[in-house]
Amino acid sequence: AILIVGLAPTYLVGLQAQTATQQKEVAVTIDDLPLNGPQFDAVRLRAMTDKFVAAVNKHQIPAVGFVNESLLQVPGETDARTMILKAWSDGGVELGNHTFSHLGFKDASLNEYQDDFLRGEVVTRWLVKQRGQKVRYFRHPFLQMGPTRELEQSFESFIGERGYKIAPVTVDVMDWMILSAYAGARAQGDGEMTKRVSEEYLKFAERKFEFCEQTANDLFGRPIKHILLLHANELTADNLDGLATMLKNKGYRFISLEQ
């Protein structure tokens, strides 16, 4: 009996460690808020945003959305689009900086890039402050880091002094590229094709996760915590519920970007 009692805690610790290694984890990030791709009116944009927020809350996803504030400046719609951005924040999505104009670093000087970063946080910082929070994350447009290590380090020091960290990506399910087929089917009122594109998108997303899991194992010899890149468009909005369900079925739990 003494031997059994002595071994039990060790066995449980081992079992817990084994279970912990089996747990897949992913942080969800969404780029180009309030609207990625071809632009459309604020009423349709609000409906799209509501779908995002509903799926985020249904699956309890601690998501971060990266904002391009130039997308707010549409004549006659600036106030409406600002309120739509507020709806993301009110819905529990943390807002981050994605530059003002979605500027690529390789085509800009350090000063130009820093200026676009500063222009890109004005409304976002105001909205986040209303919630008693601070903007914490930046993502490079096009995932373009500085053309040299020195330029990138200078930029990261610049934003670090302002309380920001870089948000990297480990899984990109290419929704921005598949969007054109989805938008075309929607524009033509082709429900059958819309459904088919959605199904193929979810199949591709599942395969991409399997590929990235294998790549992580090849690189590190173990699973890693993943960061998923999505975009604020109708393809993603209409399929986020299905995407989240697929990931849960594959054994993932949703974690924050901070985690």
Side-chain angles (χ1 to χ4, degrees):
I2 294 170
L3 181 61
I4 293 171
V5 171
L7 288 175
T10 306
Y11 169 77
L12 289 173
V13 168
L15 186 63
Q16 288 168 350
Q18 184 181 12
T19 304
T21 59
Q22 291 171 339
Q23 178 69 69
K24 298 178 182 180
E25 296 175 312
V26 61
V28 175
T29 63
I30 307 163
D31 281 13
D32 303 351
L33 271 63
L35 179 58
N36 161 256
Q39 300 295 295
F40 45 73
D41 66 85
V43 173
R44 182 171 164 187
L45 179 55
R46 183 60 191 247
M48 183 198 86
T49 304
D50 289 345
K51 286 183 182 176
F52 265 111
V53 171
V56 162
N57 284 285
K58 176 181 177 180
H59 294 280
Q60 297 183 302
I61 303 171
V64 177
F66 290 92
V67 182
N68 295 124
E69 291 195 11
S70 63
L71 296 171
L72 302 175
Q73 297 188 3
V74 174
E77 288 192 348
T78 299
D79 289 348
R81 283 175 173 247
T82 300
M83 287 300 99
I84 288 168
L85 188 59
K86 185 176 185 294
W88 283 92
S89 182
D90 290 345
V93 176
E94 180 175 351
L95 301 182
N97 187 326
H98 199 38
T99 73
F100 178 79
S101 64
H102 206 276
L103 182 66
F105 203 167
K106 75 178 180 65
D107 297 319
S109 69
L110 178 60
N111 283 339
E112 287 171 334
Y113 202 65
Q114 289 174 344
D115 285 347
D116 215 58
F117 162 84
L118 292 172
R119 287 184 72 198
E121 69 169 5
V122 178
V123 178
T124 304
R125 185 180 287 275
W126 173 68
L127 289 173
V128 169
K129 188 176 180 181
Q130 288 183 344
R131 301 186 63 81
Q133 299 165 347
K134 294 181 179 179
V135 190
R136 302 189 292 167
Y137 297 110
F138 173 83
R139 173 164 289 149
H140 294 79
F142 310 106
L143 303 182
Q144 279 178 16
M145 302 180 82
T148 67
R149 180 184 293 271
E150 291 73 25
L151 282 169
E152 179 61 29
Q153 287 177 339
S154 293
F155 176 70
E156 291 192 25
S157 295
F158 174 80
I159 68 170
E161 291 167 2
R162 289 157 178 78
Y164 284 81
K165 292 180 181 178
I166 302 294
V169 172
T170 68
V171 186
D172 177 4
V173 292
M174 315 293 279
D175 56 343
W176 55 273
M177 189 168 66
I178 300 168
L179 174 63
S180 59
Y182 191 73
R186 277 194 58 140
Q188 294 169 13
D190 190 339
E192 187 175 328
M193 180 57 72
T194 301
K195 182 182 177 185
R196 182 179 170 192
V197 174
S198 292
E199 289 171 350
E200 293 298 324
Y201 164 63
L202 292 174
K203 284 182 195 173
F204 175 77
E206 185 169 12
R207 292 289 300 276
K208 190 65 182 285
F209 263 89
E210 290 166 0
F211 171 81
C212 291
E213 288 168 10
Q214 185 59 53
T215 300
N217 280 323
D218 291 346
L219 287 170
F220 307 113
R222 59 176 174 81
I224 65 170
K225 297 178 181 182
H226 282 286
I227 302 175
L228 171 63
L229 169 61
L230 302 173
H231 291 81
N233 58 51
E234 288 180 319
L235 171 66
T236 308
D238 292 345
N239 290 284
L240 185 54
D241 181 32
L243 184 65
T245 300
M246 178 272 288
L247 289 172
K248 284 180 175 178
N249 289 341
K250 288 181 72 64
Y252 277 92
R253 77 179 183 99
F254 298 111
I255 59 173
S256 67
L257 187 54
E258 184 174 21
Q259 289 172 299

